[in-house]
Amino acid sequence: MNPAAFARLLEDFERAGVYHLTPGGMDALAEACAQADLHLIQIPLKETPRMSDALAILTQATQCPAHEGAHLDDLAEMLSDFSWLPANGYVLLVEDADNLIASEPSGVQKLLEAFQTACHHWQGQEMPFWAFIGLRGDGVALLPMIG
């Protein structure tokens, strides 16, 4: 997908959601976020097989002042308040999630549910909130792809 078309898609809060993104789409995503003036939050998980480590990285990446470390139970709430990070919309890019999915599939399912809950919250605010899960393989079977 070309970055300009991708940027127009990302601006559409009604279509926002949780999607699988292959490594080849990551550069286009960054460029599209810049064009759409959306805040890109990158969460690098390359060698992260534990959910507790993934949540610590996510908390640090979002610069969340109210949380010492996110927990799956309150993650959706944390992602529904970016008052310290004003933007026209938000895009999470969870990079290299393959190891985490292999080691903690039920935790990843809860993570995806928290992302979807946050997406619904932001849709109610008419603000785009996207979560892209970067995977080397075919991705999570039920996770749609953009493009």
Side-chain angles (χ1 to χ4, degrees):
M1 180 176 292
N2 83 42
F6 204 177
R8 285 189 301 277
L9 174 66
L10 292 176
E11 291 171 333
D12 186 352
F13 70 89
E14 292 178 334
R15 295 183 62 192
V18 182
Y19 293 89
H20 167 217
L21 186 70
T22 60
M26 292 183 191
D27 289 337
L29 177 64
E31 189 174 335
C33 286
Q35 287 183 21
D37 196 25
L38 301 178
H39 188 86
L40 176 62
I41 300 168
Q42 294 179 273
I43 303 155
L45 299 183
K46 187 170 183 150
E47 300 297 327
T48 309
R50 293 186 354 205
M51 184 58 68
S52 59
D53 294 335
L55 291 171
I57 292 168
L58 191 149
T59 302
Q60 182 179 10
T62 61
Q63 305 167 354
C64 184
H67 295 270
E68 293 177 13
H71 300 281
L72 280 174
D73 295 337
D74 65 357
L75 182 60
E77 182 180 333
M78 183 186 101
L79 295 173
S80 296
D81 175 18
F82 286 134
S83 56
W84 66 92
L85 200 61
N88 293 324
Y90 304 93
V91 176
L92 297 182
L93 172 57
V94 180
E95 300 175 82
D96 299 310
D98 299 271
N99 291 335
L100 187 61
I101 289 170
S103 66
E104 296 206 33
S106 64
V108 169
Q109 184 60 41
K110 289 180 181 179
L111 183 76
L112 296 175
E113 289 169 5
F115 289 163
Q116 192 63 50
T117 299
C119 178
H120 290 305
H121 164 80
W122 288 108
Q123 284 174 333
Q125 307 297 313
E126 298 185 359
M127 173 113 34
F129 178 90
W130 298 79
F132 290 95
I133 313 303
L135 301 165
R136 292 182 299 274
D138 292 335
V140 179
L142 299 177
L143 205 54
M145 290 184 66
I146 291 284

